[in-house]
Amino acid sequence: MAHSSRPGRQLTQVDLWSVAATSALVCLALGVCLAVAASLTWVVIDFLNPQPEAGPSPVWGLTFLAVTLTVEVVLGTALATVAAFFYNLSSRITGGVHLRVRDSAGPSVVEVTALREYRRLRAALHRCAAVRLRPAAPAGVQVRQVAGVQGAEH
């Protein structure tokens, strides 16, 4: 339920070129992370393998990595762009997403109530922990409180 008196924005369309460029950069960054992880894994496996000629060659590994990264970047970019295209289609029917900007009037009633309950629960937990974590005196020892420090008398 949107109120006309409250400030807000209506997100009705997404620029496909911006989505494609952003998703390509994100997929490229994830691809670099994947390349570093695969390279480290390859080095560890190569170090631990007693017979280096038994495993696949490094050329095969680099080729597989390059193909995987290319597919990941192209497919990730394409899927994000298609998702943005479908969002644009659906927002024409539904009107998009309404984003409301909060004013600086202060916290809502729900936030104040939640914070009050959080503080009450935290105080109760501190009291419970103080009672349960209080050290028990050994048999035959009297414990007395002296200026905020516990001392023992024999």
Side-chain angles (χ1 to χ4, degrees), residues 109-122:
V109 176
V110 175
E111 292 169 337
V112 170
T113 305
L115 184 60
R116 185 181 311 124
E117 290 299 316
Y118 167 75
R119 287 180 179 159
R120 187 186 61 77
L121 179 63
R122 185 170 181 232

Side-chain angles (χ1 to χ4, degrees), residues 12 17 28 37-38 41 54-56 59 101 113 118 137-138:
T12 58
W17 180 251
L28 191 61
T41 304
V59 174
V101 180
T113 305
Y118 167 75

Side-chain angles (χ1 to χ4, degrees), residues 31 34-35 59-76:
L34 179 66
V59 174
W60 181 88
L62 288 175
T63 305
F64 183 75
L65 181 64
V67 169
T68 304
L69 292 180
T70 304
V71 168
E72 183 251 342
V73 170
V74 170
L75 193 61

Side-chain angles (χ1 to χ4, degrees), residues 133-145:
L133 296 177
R134 184 177 296 144
V141 176
Q142 293 180 346
V143 178
R144 63 186 173 101
Q145 188 78 16

Side-chain angles (χ1 to χ4, degrees), residues 21 57 66 89:
S57 68
L89 286 179

Side-chain angles (χ1 to χ4, degrees), residues 2-139:
H3 297 289
S4 60
S5 63
R6 293 197 176 178
R9 299 281 184 201
Q10 192 79 16
L11 182 62
T12 58
Q13 190 172 1
V14 179
D15 183 32
L16 295 181
W17 180 251
S18 298
V19 170
T22 304
S23 63
L25 289 175
V26 168
C27 288
L28 191 61
L30 290 174
V32 168
C33 293
L34 179 66
V36 169
S39 300
L40 290 176
T41 304
W42 189 274
V43 168
V44 169
I45 289 174
D46 193 38
F47 179 72
L48 295 175
N49 191 2
Q51 299 172 342
E53 63 276 352
S57 68
V59 174
W60 181 88
L62 288 175
T63 305
F64 183 75
L65 181 64
V67 169
T68 304
L69 292 180
T70 304
V71 168
E72 183 251 342
V73 170
V74 170
L75 193 61
T77 303
L79 286 176
T81 307
V82 167
F85 176 73
F86 283 133
Y87 174 79
N88 287 343
L89 286 179
S90 67
S91 70
R92 288 182 187 162
I93 298 169
T94 61
V97 177
H98 183 73
L99 304 171
R100 187 169 54 114
V101 180
R102 289 208 35 179
D103 54 332
S104 61
S108 68
V109 176
V110 175
E111 292 169 337
V112 170
T113 305
L115 184 60
R116 185 181 311 124
E117 290 299 316
Y118 167 75
R119 287 180 179 159
R120 187 186 61 77
L121 179 63
R122 185 170 181 232
L125 286 174
H126 278 281
R127 284 192 304 272
C128 181
V131 168
R132 290 186 181 210
L133 296 177
R134 184 177 296 144

